[in-house]
Amino acid sequence: MANDEYDMSIRQQLAELKLASDDLDAIVNAFGVVDTNRNGCIDKTEMGDLLEQVQIKLAKYQIRDLLEKADLDNNNTISPTEFAQVYSQLQSEKYASSFKSAIASKSNLKKSEISKASAEGTQHSYSDDECAAFTKWIIKNLKDDEDCKARLKGIESGQLFQKMKDGILLCKMINHSVPETIDERTINKKNLNIYKEQENVNLALNSASAIGCSIINIGVFDITEAKEHLILGLLWQVIRIGLFAKIDLKHNPGISALLEEGESLDDLMALSPEDLLLRWMNYHLANSAKYQAKTGGKKIKNFNADIKDSIAYACLLEQIQPVDEETNQYELMPPITATIEVKSNTDRAERMLEEADRMNCREFVTAKDIVKGNTKLNMAFVANLFNTHPALVARDIEEIEEEDREVKTFRNWMNSLGVSPRVNKFTRDLNDGLVLLQLYQQVAGPDCVDWSKVTQPPYKPPAQFKKRANCQYAIDLAKTLGFKIVNIDGNDIFNEQRKLTLAVVWQVMRAYTFKILERISEDGSKIKDQEIMDWVNQKLESSGKESRLVSFKDSSISSSLVVIDLIDAIVPGSINYEVVTPGVEEEDMRSNAKYAISMARKIGSRIYALPEDLVDRNAKMVLTIFACLMGRGMDQV
Ligand SMILES: *[C@@H]1O[C@H](CO)[C@@H](O)[C@H](O)[C@H]1NC(C)=O
């Protein structure tokens, strides 16, 4: 089978898993590497060989266990979907990074991509194409920022990673992707030394995590020591979150035009951002007479094989091009008819990109990236086209509710733990119980879930029975693990009962937050809310602070002063009291809360709560803030 065809067939088998495009790429890639005889499945010797070659230190029985668990249908071979499970499992475990980089370097050797030796002499590899694309995107978006100007100098000549080391560009990019995430005042900008740079990187990493980046394998030193592949991976997550942030009905009601027959808005918005983008492309292509004539109406199903000839791109650009108001002419002149008749793929791609340039959206891809079919970069190109030129007219639809804050925080938290598939839509993406089970593993250890009791997707119809059974197992297991689950059963999760699903997720998040404390408390015993309160007040008192914590929803929480004081008690001198306000007026409260959250992240607390949670005294989230800070405070002794 030709490479393309092979990849396509693996992709199709994985389609139902609705994986994030990154994960999908990684799995398709890894599968192709492992499946040396290209027969579409991995037999057990192939798997064993690979593990040995990539030097994962697993005992024979561990490999056997892994395979046993992976081979869900017991046919002695591993299918792509089964492999996807192994892969995500490996991802969540300790040896994930070595496994992944080994796969990457192995596949890169194969594809003769660039591979560079890292300081330790191990092979890590990254794509120069992606490095160049992200560098350009950073320049485009940060070039007017005074703090960035000096740092952007020379960045194009291969210095990206060196320039990221002090954390400032990272902070700025995170804040660009999700505005207001980082308080400007907390970034160290002057007289930098290693310690101050590390603080910036802490701020960046904990903020990245709060917007939903999975940073399980990345630590502060990976950034300060300029580990290329890790920085690039993080950057991509940050950029992708920014590109996807506005693909929703609130920002773009025009998305409603993409509804298909018999579909509800909820169904539509349950699509992954990748699928929505494909839907959008196909919508415009269906209206393009040229595209229909040229291709017979072929649908675009991916961001690699289907876009390589640039014909869909050229026709899409023509459909979404704006009219120049002065001349009343379309921007793309001469018409694209000539472009789609160009002979070679590369020349055609180049012509198309020149047209994109005229629309100021020549981003992320070069002609080479298109012809090679780099999924990541092509998807980013399309996402940016969508954000800048949606060319959609909204249907008459009911009032759209914005995703509420709590849901957003929980969603980001789950994604930051690397659940697969990524949670795009709450509650839809939780309604088969699998995400819940993965969350339990984060709290109670990887072995707490008996996967033999779980049906993995793709579900054979009728799917609802399998999904419902999974949900029931998830609820039963939650009770066994000691989560407080009252009057909730599997059906509630399957039926997407919002409040009840939130209640379960909250129980897990709470346990996750407290786990840090239990790890450091001497006897590993369960910590109670009151103990957190006592610890906080002792700390405040012994540091000579006057504020006290009365309860997690006491009216004084709104000023954030108690959080700010606690941070200064934990790291004396860290707070700049000149920027702290009395926190009485609404605006002052916001300012303090924003400062407090960013400062907490800067001193190393992984906090998911938002400034609004402090101002509005959301007791649950306030509890997590103090629990995280206590974890940070106890860690230092
Ligand atoms: C973050 O974004 C907000 C809104 O775009 C902006 O006002 C603020 O200055 C930015 N802060 C940083 C650290 O870039």
Side-chain angles (χ1 to χ4, degrees):
M1 232 189 272
N3 275 351
D4 281 353
E5 241 174 89
Y6 178 84
D7 280 7
M8 280 298 293
S9 108
I10 305 290
R11 263 170 211 282
Q12 268 160 14
Q13 294 180 58
L14 292 168
E16 269 179 87
L17 296 183
K18 297 223 161 65
L19 299 162
S21 69
D22 268 9
D23 291 338
L24 182 64
D25 283 349
I27 289 168
V28 172
N29 193 9
F31 199 85
V33 175
V34 181
D35 180 18
T36 41
N37 64 3
R38 312 293 268 182
N39 67 350
C41 60
I42 295 177
D43 64 44
K44 294 191 174 178
T45 46
E46 285 175 328
M47 188 74 176
D49 283 352
L50 179 84
L51 289 171
E52 244 168 61
Q53 270 175 330
V54 298
Q55 295 177 334
I56 290 179
K57 290 197 185 68
L58 287 184
K60 278 246 159 60
Y61 77 89
Q62 285 174 308
I63 298 178
R64 211 169 46 230
D65 277 1
L66 195 66
L67 288 166
E68 225 91 273
K69 268 192 237 162
D71 183 15
L72 297 165
D73 54 7
N74 287 318
N75 66 349
N76 272 331
T77 60
I78 310 294
S79 71
T81 47
E82 286 169 341
F83 184 71
Q85 313 296 346
V86 181
Y87 191 81
S88 65
Q89 220 171 321
L90 284 168
Q91 236 176 352
S92 68
E93 288 173 28
K94 263 193 246 117
Y95 41 78
S97 68
S98 60
F99 182 80
K100 270 194 286 184
S101 54
I103 295 244
S105 66
K106 197 159 182 284
S107 77
N108 273 5
L109 287 179
K110 215 170 170 172
K111 295 188 176 164
S112 60
E113 283 258 356
I114 307 88
S115 123
K116 301 191 162 91
S118 77
E120 301 98 316
T122 44
Q123 289 277 309
H124 287 299
S125 52
Y126 64 90
S127 146
D128 273 357
D129 301 339
E130 282 162 25
C131 183
F134 299 164
T135 304
K136 268 185 69 186
W137 184 246
I138 292 172
I139 295 173
K140 178 178 171 119
N141 290 291
L142 299 182
K143 65 179 184 310
D144 295 328
D145 187 318
E146 287 303 326
D147 301 320
C148 298
K149 281 186 177 154
R151 287 179 177 78
L152 294 176
K153 280 213 188 83
I155 196 174
E156 267 178 307
S157 48
Q159 288 190 48
L160 174 69
F161 305 107
Q162 289 300 320
K163 301 279 187 180
M164 308 285 299
K165 278 167 52 173
D166 66 13
I168 294 184
L169 289 179
L170 254 183
C171 284
K172 297 281 181 173
M173 277 313 288
I174 290 164
N175 196 59
H176 173 265
S177 279
V178 183
E180 305 286 351
T181 300
I182 295 183
D183 187 328
E184 195 76 58
R185 297 169 295 183
T186 59
I187 303 179
N188 298 326
K189 294 175 186 169
K190 297 225 171 72
N191 306 322
L192 292 179
N193 54 33
I194 288 186
Y195 175 72
K196 286 185 172 178
E197 290 178 0
Q198 283 173 9
E199 281 190 329
N200 283 345
V201 173
N202 251 324
L203 175 61
L205 287 181
N206 289 323
S207 303
S209 169
I211 64 168
C213 295
S214 154
I215 58 164
I216 294 172
N217 296 316
I218 310 177
V220 172
F221 295 108
D222 295 323
I223 309 292
T224 56
E225 287 164 16
K227 299 254 178 75
E228 290 106 344
H229 63 296
L230 293 175
I231 294 181
L232 215 55
L234 176 62
L235 261 180
W236 167 239
Q237 293 194 61
V238 171
I239 290 172
R240 185 174 68 174
I241 285 172
L243 286 171
F244 286 174
K246 292 195 174 136
I247 308 186
D248 63 29
L249 284 166
K250 193 75 194 174
H251 290 95
N252 194 339
I255 291 177
S256 58
L258 303 178
L259 272 173
E260 284 178 358
E261 196 65 25
E263 199 176 42
S264 71
L265 271 182
D266 259 3
D267 295 335
L268 180 67
M269 296 319 291
L271 294 178
S272 68
E274 288 92 341
D275 285 342
L276 259 179
L277 289 174
L278 289 171
R279 174 80 68 94
W280 173 72
M281 272 187 89
N282 286 316
Y283 169 88
H284 282 303
L285 293 175
N287 295 327
S288 161
K290 282 174 200 158
Y291 184 76
Q292 298 299 314
K294 183 80 188 167
T295 68
K298 181 172 171 251
K299 288 224 167 157
I300 301 298
K301 298 205 181 84
N302 54 55
F303 297 104
N304 46 68
D306 291 359
I307 48 79
K308 282 180 178 178
D309 62 14
S310 299
I311 289 174
Y313 279 167
C315 296
L316 173 68
L317 287 182
E318 193 180 51
Q319 291 302 115
I320 63 177
Q321 65 180 319
V323 180
D324 185 319
E325 281 173 18
E326 277 172 24
T327 61
N328 207 22
Q329 298 261 355
Y330 281 116
E331 292 198 350
L332 298 183
M333 300 293 267
I336 54 116
T337 319
T339 304
I340 57 181
E341 297 308 333
V342 169
K343 279 278 174 315
S344 94
N345 274 353
T346 308
D347 294 345
R348 200 179 311 112
E350 189 50 46
R351 278 286 284 271
M352 183 281 294
L353 284 173
E354 283 161 19
E355 283 152 8
D357 202 17
R358 251 173 269 160
M359 291 166 57
N360 194 23
C361 46
R362 181 177 186 148
E363 299 299 336
F364 293 108
V365 285
T366 60
K368 190 176 95 191
D369 300 324
I370 295 172
V371 175
K372 269 179 27 184
N374 181 317
T375 304
K376 232 181 245 184
L377 297 179
N378 280 285
M379 193 201 65
F381 173 66
V382 175
N384 183 57
L385 284 178
F386 174 89
N387 287 333
T388 52
H389 300 86
L392 296 171
V393 179
R395 291 192 193 185
D396 218 0
I397 45 173
E398 71 264 37
E399 187 70 19
I400 303 144
E401 275 177 53
E402 196 160 8
E403 183 179 45
D404 80 36
R405 206 169 66 217
E406 193 168 37
V407 165
K408 195 183 280 179
T409 307
F410 283 178
R411 196 167 50 85
N412 287 344
W413 170 66
M414 293 187 269
N415 287 329
S416 80
L417 296 180
V419 295
S420 171
R422 256 182 100 80
V423 179
N424 294 307
K425 187 149 164 66
F426 196 89
T427 46
R428 181 67 55 95
D429 293 344
L430 277 71
N431 80 355
D432 67 357
L434 294 193
V435 166
L436 287 177
L437 294 171
Q438 292 171 60
L439 294 177
Y440 302 167
Q441 288 184 305
Q442 297 284 339
V443 177
D447 294 334
C448 75
V449 176
D450 178 356
W451 289 102
S452 73
K453 294 194 174 148
V454 180
T455 309
Q456 305 272 5
Y459 302 102
K460 293 201 188 84
Q464 64 265 34
F465 297 111
K466 306 280 171 32
K467 289 188 175 182
R468 212 173 274 175
N470 285 349
C471 288
Q472 194 53 49
Y473 174 61
I475 293 300
D476 292 343
L477 183 58
K479 291 179 185 160
T480 324
L481 293 172
F483 298 129
K484 231 165 66 197
I485 305 281
V486 187
N487 289 334
I488 304 177
D489 71 22
N491 267 323
D492 298 322
I493 307 299
F494 173 73
N495 291 327
E496 301 180 37
Q497 296 292 321
R498 199 171 155 285
K499 259 185 127 162
L500 300 177
T501 309
L502 268 175
V504 178
V505 176
W506 162 244
Q507 285 298 317
V508 192
M509 185 186 199
R510 187 180 189 285
Y512 179 82
T513 309
F514 278 46
K515 198 177 110 171
I516 311 166
L517 298 175
E518 277 145 28
R519 218 181 290 144
I520 34 197
S521 76
E522 267 163 31
D523 54 359
S525 62
K526 289 240 182 295
I527 298 266
K528 299 195 182 67
D529 295 7
Q530 185 62 44
E531 290 172 67
I532 297 179
M533 208 121 68
D534 292 346
W535 182 88
V536 169
N537 285 326
Q538 252 165 24
K539 189 83 193 168
L540 288 168
E541 191 172 359
S542 67
S543 311
K545 305 286 180 196
E546 275 165 24
S547 54
R548 293 290 179 273
L549 175 61
V550 184
S551 79
F552 298 113
K553 54 178 182 196
D554 183 66
S555 61
S556 69
I557 297 287
S558 295
S559 73
S560 299
L561 289 176
V562 59
V563 180
I564 290 173
D565 281 345
L566 181 62
I567 292 169
D568 201 58
I570 294 170
V571 182
S574 58
I575 293 290
N576 172 9
Y577 276 96
E578 279 175 21
V579 305
V580 179
T581 73
V584 179
E585 304 294 330
E586 178 87 12
E587 199 176 315
D588 284 356
M589 290 180 186
R590 284 188 196 293
S591 163
N592 280 0
K594 206 174 159 202
Y595 183 64
I597 297 283
S598 276
M599 278 307 301
R601 290 180 183 147
K602 181 178 174 181
I603 67 163
S605 301
R606 183 148 308 162
I607 284 181
Y608 294 89
L610 297 168
E612 292 86 339
D613 292 319
L614 281 168
V615 175
D616 301 344
R617 294 179 279 133
N618 174 347
K620 283 181 196 166
M621 288 300 149
V622 172
L623 168 66
T624 63
I625 293 174
F626 284 105
C628 285
L629 283 171
M630 179 176 170
R632 171 66 181 82
M634 287 170 69
D635 220 7
Q636 64 195 170
V637 282

